[in-house]
Amino acid sequence: MPVYQTELGWVLETNTTAYAFGLNQAGLLVHRYWGARLPRHEDYPPATDAKGWASFNNAAQLTQEEYPGYEDMKFVDACIQVIFADGVRGTVLRYASFDLDEGALPELRIHLRDTAYPLQVTLHYRVHADYDLIERWATVANQGETPITIERIDSAQWHFPVAESYRLTHVTGRWLDEMHLRREVLQPGRKVLESRRLTTSHHHNPWFALDRGGSCEDAGAVWFGVLAWSGNWKLSADINDFGATRINVGVNDWDFAWRLNPGDTFSTPSSFGGYTEQGFGGASRLLHDFIRDTIIPHGHALHKVLYNSWEATTFNVDEASQAELAELAAEMGIELFVMDDGWFHGRDDDTAGLGDWWPDERKFPNGLKNLIGRVNGLGMDFGLWIEPEMVNPNSELYRAHPDWVIHFPTRTRTTGRDQLILNFARTDVQEYIIGQIDRLLSENNIVFIKWDMNRNVSEPGWSDAPGDPRELWVRYVQGLYHVWGTLRERHPEVIWQSCSGGGGRADLGILRLADQVWISDNTEPSARLAIQEGYTNIFPANTMEAWVTDMGPDYLPLAFRFHVSMCGSLGVGGHLVHWGTERRAEAARWIALYKELRPVVQYGDLYRLRSPQEHAYSAVQYMSKDRTEGVLFAFRTHLPPPANTPPLYLRGLDPDASYEIEGMLGARSGLAWMRTGLYLELKDFESTVRRIRRV
Ligand code: DGJ
């Protein structure tokens, strides 16, 4: 049984890990253990009562509580802070009861109650045994007669075994330059990662990996976690001088408040935490499987090779230009033709049109049907770009509803890319957008939507908010999920792609709606290698849309460009008319090869052999789940002479089976390829793709 109770408390067991907590003598719900699964129930340590150390550090501060309230002399981040109607701000939570749902996905619920006020907090724990993950979230209920204002509410506080030091791995970046891996030793104090931008953001991602310093890609203990949320979030890692390390994660408490009226409940997003002894690679493979199997809507559907018009035609789309590209794309073996920005009413550049989601009459006098018919006639599916949360001041929608945007009435409405943000927290806005996009999808044979969002928030006002105006941050995201979710329900066949100027909205919340992410506007392949590496620490390759384009220097060979994009869900975005016959013929060969490889790339196990963020010579390998076939990609950017390329040690092979590697002489055992490695000769800006076959 993955969840059980003993006299010491509760234990949640996954395939290889365990997570335990219980009540200590003082009646506090405290953390007991998180790590490798232990053989016997009694192996898990009891819930202890901390001893105070000095009058400055009493027991409350030194207790590892599962979900601390705001009381006593704790000085740690409380998971929940509220203001009651009488102005009292403390939350004193004590255990009340528990219940256990023993379904296929066991869920343990621990009910805590405030000792003086009618406030109930339920801690939810779900066990995802096959992925070694624990899911945690909290629900708070106002069971009284007066409103309660929530000022802070986390999804979870995660505790780690007492250790001399920990190293935190996370990603940072910016537009065009997302997902740089950072590894830093935590020193006493608090390290905060967050978004205050209304979206997940290009700058940080709600993901962490924690190790004790010695772990690497292939080995070592790693604790890791993600937050399934697409709005403002906060992750704070706190290490103190008593050796305690904790990470709080949840919606950001910055500028946040929520009025909980009598009878209301509020639920936090889910925080997932995992543990592995297979290093950072093992941690990411668990997340990959979990996301593919349980989060993304279309499960294990193979993604089609797509063409996207953006970098070729930008806003200059019309039936003739798109049909010309479509014909060339079809000849190359492309399966899905996506028309990007520029197709809708009044859209000639980025200063106008957002909000008016019907085809521009000058560019498409007969609507989209003719073009879609031509694309379908060429044997391809059709997809479309939209940016439904946005409005240009120069649009019919804004002229009709200037009050629908996020704004403060007395302040300038700051534009970004000449656009303002529709307040998706408002139900009238939600209904309007659902109606517009639903019509588009009902009237046209569209099977793919790229959902974009190209600015962050400013003047976060909502004058006629029904509750506290600071609820905007959360209600906006709930509104977004509602709009997108409703459209998904009405059009279940559609594949959605999440884009926010590239990778500004990549998280497990949005992946419940979108099957893919456009991870960066940077399509220069050598830069992309690094961005892709960071991304795959969290997300699986099938969600990683990657186009071959013309960005970057001409000396980057087409093969190199294709190899980089073939590491994810392959797309093409170059100007096919300018490519010429020879380039298109070469592209067709790579596309044909990718179609053979894609089950392994999109759904196999991913091994990062050499990091492109650290080395000019890098490699990544994919293996089918049954270990019978795989593929190896290797890339060399610039290595100054007299450098030699080091051996690549393969991973994930069956040690006793025999394997052949394309281009290498003879079959050898899996163990031999993994231990002795293989040498590849590559010149600067050369790359290679090698199939791996069990014989
Ligand atoms: C930003 C996206 O990331 C690009 O791929 C493209 O769709 C443009 N927006 C269009 O405006």
Side-chain angles (χ1 to χ4, degrees), residues 4 6 15 35-36 197 244 271 314 346 448 467 593 643 673 678:
Y4 60 84
T6 70
N15 286 359
R197 293 167 179 267
S271 164
T314 62
F448 180 95
L593 174 63
W673 290 118
L678 57 97

Side-chain angles (χ1 to χ4, degrees), residues 310 315 340-341 385 417 450 452 454 499 501-502 518 521 547:
W310 173 245
F315 302 99
D340 208 279
D341 203 345
W385 177 96
R417 208 195 190 200
K450 175 176 171 188
D452 204 348
N454 281 301
C499 169
W518 176 235
D521 277 347
W547 313 334

Side-chain angles (χ1 to χ4, degrees), residues 75-118:
F75 309 114
V76 297
D77 275 344
C79 282
I80 176 164
Q81 283 179 241
V82 306
I83 309 180
F84 294 103
D86 59 6
V88 167
R89 301 202 310 282
T91 34
V92 181
L93 300 172
R94 292 296 177 269
Y95 173 75
S97 62
F98 83 98
D99 58 90
L100 176 60
D101 186 342
E102 296 185 40
L105 206 56
E107 182 184 324
L108 172 67
R109 288 180 282 264
I110 305 283
H111 306 289
L112 309 174
R113 253 197 215 109
D114 190 277
T115 53
Y117 294 87

Side-chain angles (χ1 to χ4, degrees), residues 171-182 201-204 500-504 518-524 526-532 534-535 551 613:
V171 284
T172 70
R174 52 186 172 151
W175 176 67
L176 276 187
D177 197 19
E178 298 88 340
M179 296 278 171
H180 288 272
L181 282 165
R182 308 283 178 202
S201 105
H202 301 84
H203 296 256
H204 302 278
S500 176
W518 176 235
I519 69 165
S520 183
D521 277 347
N522 191 342
T523 57
E524 198 278 346
S526 57
R528 188 87 181 189
L529 274 177
I531 297 170
Q532 293 186 177
Y535 181 87
M551 198 183 273
Q613 296 192 15

